[in-house]
Amino acid sequence: MTQRAMFPPHQSPTATPKDRDGAGTAALVLALASYVLTTVDGGFFLVIPVGIAAIVCGVVGVGRAKRGEASNGRMALVGLVLGSVVTVPTTCFLIWLIAGLYGAYA
């Protein structure tokens, strides 16, 4: 008579790679921060660098979601769009403002 083991042999669970959701989350947080900075006195000039960082993180996050490495593709896309919607008009306004001031003093 063979003796049966009470418990199955130990098998370690296969390690599943974790999602790389950091870029998508960062894109949304930075985009919201750039939106808030448009209303803060003196923070208006920080909108452009923070918005560019949001756009870059959004592009990286969307790319990771398309490859299946991340699960928050919509969050990355919202961060990308909001960062663009805030950054592009702000940049155009600052260029218009600087050109107008340069023309007034020239």
Side-chain angles (χ1 to χ4, degrees):
M1 173 177 224
T2 58
Q3 192 172 15
R4 231 172 113 194
M6 290 181 72
F7 300 104
H10 177 68
Q11 295 176 354
S12 61
T14 58
T16 58
K18 294 192 176 194
D19 287 339
R20 299 174 64 193
D21 293 339
T25 305
L28 185 60
V29 169
L30 288 170
L32 290 172
S34 67
Y35 178 72
V36 170
L37 281 172
T38 58
T39 62
V40 175
D41 189 29
F44 194 70
F45 293 99
L46 293 174
V47 171
I48 295 172
V50 173
I52 290 173
I55 292 169
V56 169
C57 287
V59 168
V60 170
V62 168
R64 285 182 182 171
K66 283 185 179 179
R67 289 190 305 269
E69 297 175 3
S71 62
N72 62 347
R74 287 185 182 175
M75 185 184 295
L77 185 63
V78 169
L80 173 64
V81 170
L82 183 61
S84 300
V85 165
V86 172
T87 304
V88 171
T90 303
T91 304
C92 293
F93 175 74
L94 284 177
I95 290 171
W96 173 77
L97 181 67
I98 291 170
L101 289 175
Y102 180 73
Y105 293 113

